[in-house]
Amino acid sequence: EAMTERAELLLAGALQTVIDSSLARAEEINGHELERLRSLAEINPHIRPSEIEYFEQSAEEIKTYLKGTSLRLDGVRVALST
């Protein structure tokens, strides 16, 4: 059990790095797409405000899920050699 606790401690920092990177990437992609959609809505009346709201809501949900990510060690394989 001590080995799994040590592994969790070692991976916790790496996990936060991955989460931060994923959040930044999601923000970049979603921000870019939302900006494009808003610009398009200014010249195209077929872009409904509900479409923009849906995209904004989806982007927020993505951030919420990423922030709630946690490390989970589902299986540990131990090899013994004699």
Side-chain angles (χ1 to χ4, degrees), residues 7-22 71:
E8 286 176 346
L9 286 174
L10 288 171
L11 294 173
L15 175 65
Q16 191 58 50
T17 301
V18 170
I19 291 171
D20 291 344
S21 173
S22 298
L71 180 65

Side-chain angles (χ1 to χ4, degrees), residues 32-77:
H32 207 48
E33 184 62 22
L34 193 52
E35 183 181 321
R36 185 193 70 77
L37 195 57
R38 286 182 179 141
S39 295
L40 186 58
E42 290 177 9
I43 58 173
N44 184 346
H46 296 289
I47 304 295
R48 297 183 311 270
S50 62
E51 291 177 280
I52 295 172
E53 290 170 12
Y54 175 79
F55 194 83
E56 288 171 333
Q57 185 179 23
S58 295
E60 284 302 314
E61 287 176 7
I62 289 169
K63 286 195 287 189
T64 300
Y65 289 129
L66 286 172
K67 288 178 182 178
T69 301
S70 62
L71 180 65
R72 196 172 93 187
L73 295 176
D74 287 341
V76 177
R77 178 178 286 181

